[in-house]
Amino acid sequence: MPKILIIEDEESVRENILDLLEAEDFETIAAANGRIGLDLAISEVPDLILCDMMMPEIDGYGVLTALRQDPTTATIPFIFLTAKSAKSDFRRGMDLGADDYITKPFTRSELLSAIMNRLEKYATLKRYLSAQNATHNLSPKMQLLEISLHRAIKQHNFQEFEIYYQPIVDIASGKIVAAESLLRWQSPELGIIYPTEFIPIAESTGLIVPIGKWVLKRVCQQIKSWRDDAGISSLKIAVNLSVIEFNQPDFIHKIINFIETNNLQADCLELELTESMIMQDVNSAIATMNKLRSLGVKIAIDDFGTGYSSLIYLKNLPINTLKIDRYFIHNVANDLQKSAITKALIQMAHNLNLNVVAEGVEAEAELAFLRQHKCNSMQGFLFSRPLPAAEFEKFLLTNKCLYA
Ligand code: C2E
Ligand code: MG
Ligand code: MG
């Protein structure tokens, strides 16, 4: 989860923001003045900084100026929190390199949308920089990750990797109808590392190609083994793809090969793509998707709502499933904006004959909302976290149901 540093001298405001961000699962660090804030920015290198403008000693301008002069902190997105709304203050902050402003008092959705917006741009920038430059531009932690990742693949032949399966449940019947495969890396040097950390490195180094191939191969073997050894059939397994894998010239060939070697029904496999992957080159993406479709392989759009959300293109895409990003599902029953958007997404997807999966369902109230609005399936901690294959198999064999 992205790490956010809050620099704010007023305790009540600071606590308020911390509560709000923690409820959204952000990792947070807080500083009560500019000096502590600067130290934490350098030692923790957060993914984003929220900083009050008016503080004693070093004010927000001072913090920003210092951050922008230090190469380790120079590019961290910086959002000013300010009670002032004078144009000249905005201008001064912008000239110093602030990325955005929020005027106090702000609503929760104003704050979150400013944060999400900045984080997304920053992620794109980081990907661009790491693709452009080799290792020397990475932080020491990233360099270590990169070296360990190389070793885990080239020398240890994927032994440190394991595929977890998170159940996807039909909301009407409560039965497990599918699962999403999620990669885990247990590094002896670094401990458990989540895909949000190592996939970007794998992408920038090209290691994503062997990783993706390994995942697809293992998932196909697993589907076969569940069918042949445990008698579990008609279960769909979703696999996340990276744009680099999807664009490999022999990608379709690999898919055909794995399906044929394991003698699988192609519709047991669903490939998850994101909007940004498709939008990079819409025509070639549609061509690849059509080839997959003609094989019988299913296609899902993952994290829908966080990227381009181009509803017009959606109509033209050969897809089966829309996965609504967990950002919209979190607290959907109580947040008027999220509930309006989610309702509209479900309805639109149904009009396009798509299957809708809600991601990140954690609360009964969220599930009740989804049931009321006829969302087809749910995935989330409320039913189960991602599980090792053997544990997921137990769920299947005991017919574990959402409504016990
Ligand atoms: P994703 O495809 O959107 O996967 C869903 C993520 O949400 C997973 O994180 C899952 O553990 C998490 N999640 C599920 N239910 C809940 C919930 O109720 N609450 C919360 N807070 N989180 C929930 P994970 O496993 O860390 O994976 C993160 C991302 O990494 C995935 O996002 C996917 O984009 C990528 N990824 C995972 N495995 C692979 C892979 O084999 N290949 C590629 N290319 N990407 C992968
Ligand atoms: Mg996914
Ligand atoms: Mg997702």
Side-chain angles (χ1 to χ4, degrees):
M1 257 295 127
K3 193 173 4 172
I4 300 184
L5 169 62
I6 300 111
I7 311 174
E8 164 69 67
D9 60 327
E10 250 177 280
E11 190 180 349
S12 60
V13 180
R14 195 171 63 235
E15 291 300 322
N16 223 328
I17 299 176
L18 282 173
D19 286 347
L20 210 152
L21 295 181
E22 278 159 18
E24 301 289 330
D25 275 340
F26 287 109
E27 198 183 319
T28 54
I29 341 165
N33 64 46
R35 164 65 42 222
I36 305 175
L38 272 176
D39 290 344
L40 284 173
I42 291 161
S43 62
E44 299 274 336
V45 196
D47 297 292
L48 184 140
I49 298 172
L50 293 169
C51 182
D52 187 20
M53 196 178 264
M54 305 288 281
M55 290 183 292
E57 288 179 75
I58 311 180
D59 64 5
Y61 299 124
V63 172
L64 180 58
T65 308
L67 289 173
R68 291 301 186 238
Q69 281 164 6
D70 182 330
T72 44
T73 55
T75 58
I76 301 175
F78 187 99
I79 302 179
F80 263 131
L81 305 173
T82 169
K84 293 184 166 191
S85 50
K87 269 217 171 95
S88 59
D89 295 317
F90 285 4
R91 195 65 260 154
R92 185 169 165 210
M94 283 305 192
D95 289 344
L96 288 171
D99 295 286
D100 205 354
Y101 278 93
I102 313 177
T103 318
K104 292 190 262 190
F106 41 80
T107 66
R108 153 209 177 82
S109 64
E110 276 168 347
L111 178 68
L112 290 176
S113 91
I115 290 176
M116 295 311 279
N117 205 332
R118 283 302 136 193
L119 284 175
E120 205 170 295
K121 295 213 165 80
Y122 186 46
T124 313
L125 174 73
K126 279 208 288 198
R127 269 200 298 276
Y128 175 77
L129 287 175
S130 53
Q132 292 288 307
N133 306 297
T135 330
H136 58 264
N137 243 350
L138 299 175
S139 69
K141 187 184 165 206
M142 298 293 262
Q143 289 183 27
L144 183 61
L145 266 177
E146 187 177 319
I147 293 164
S148 301
L149 190 61
H150 260 285
R151 197 159 39 216
I153 293 163
K154 304 274 180 227
Q155 288 173 21
H156 300 294
N157 201 17
F158 291 99
Q159 284 161 34
E160 296 163 14
F161 289 88
E162 184 174 357
I163 296 172
Y164 276 47
Y165 293 86
Q166 185 175 34
I168 297 174
V169 178
D170 177 73
I171 294 178
S173 70
K175 290 189 181 142
I176 299 174
V177 286
E180 176 172 4
S181 61
L182 293 160
L183 191 55
R184 297 289 178 262
W185 174 25
Q186 175 75 46
S187 155
E189 303 99 75
L190 304 163
I192 176 106
I193 303 160
Y194 285 89
T196 39
E197 275 191 271
F198 68 83
I199 297 282
I201 299 178
E203 286 177 336
S204 67
T205 52
L207 287 170
I208 193 68
V209 175
I211 293 180
K213 187 174 168 195
W214 182 83
V215 170
L216 270 169
K217 183 170 152 198
R218 291 304 292 256
V219 167
C220 289
Q221 289 170 341
Q222 184 66 70
I223 300 175
K224 173 183 161 64
S225 139
W226 275 329
R227 182 195 62 200
D228 297 350
D229 309 333
I232 298 161
S233 54
S234 70
L235 181 73
K236 194 170 63 182
I237 305 290
V239 177
N240 291 286
L241 289 184
S242 159
V243 65
I244 302 170
E245 284 177 86
F246 183 65
N247 290 339
Q248 293 282 303
D250 63 342
F251 175 67
I252 296 285
H253 179 77
K254 274 186 219 160
I255 296 279
I256 296 177
N257 179 23
F258 292 139
I259 290 176
E260 285 182 352
T261 318
N262 295 289
N263 194 16
L264 302 184
Q265 296 265 120
D267 62 1
C268 287
L269 196 61
E270 183 158 80
L271 300 178
E272 295 194 357
L273 312 175
T274 59
E275 296 159 83
S276 57
M277 286 170 67
I278 296 166
M279 295 311 162
Q280 282 194 8
D281 184 347
V282 183
N283 293 332
S284 116
I286 292 181
T288 310
M289 289 159 86
N290 277 326
K291 281 186 208 148
L292 289 167
R293 192 90 133 199
S294 68
L295 295 173
V297 173
K298 305 269 183 206
I299 301 172
I301 301 292
D302 201 359
D303 307 337
F304 192 78
T306 58
Y308 297 77
S309 305
S310 175
L311 304 181
I312 294 174
Y313 271 118
L314 205 56
K315 180 169 95 48
N316 299 322
L317 297 177
I319 57 176
N320 307 90
T321 302
L322 192 73
K323 298 189 78 171
I324 303 180
D325 191 77
R326 72 185 169 87
Y327 170 78
F328 297 101
I329 305 302
H330 181 82
N331 201 24
V332 66
N334 302 311
D335 183 315
L336 288 178
Q337 284 180 336
K338 287 183 183 178
S339 58
I341 292 171
T342 304
K343 253 189 272 181
L345 286 181
I346 296 171
Q347 201 152 51
M348 173 203 66
H350 284 166
N351 288 340
L352 295 172
N353 258 325
L354 301 176
N355 174 42
V356 190
V357 180
E359 302 193 271
V361 180
E362 294 184 354
E364 286 290 350
E366 294 161 3
L367 174 62
F369 177 91
L370 295 165
R371 194 182 315 117
Q372 187 193 345
H373 295 285
K374 308 262 184 310
C375 179
N376 304 87
S377 311
M378 64 78 80
Q379 176 182 354
F381 297 168
L382 179 67
F383 182 73
S384 169
R385 289 183 176 261
L387 304 167
E391 278 180 50
F392 176 59
E393 188 179 321
K394 270 188 222 148
F395 269 36
L396 293 171
L397 295 175
T398 56
N399 290 317
K400 192 173 152 72
C401 182
L402 180 57
Y403 312 112

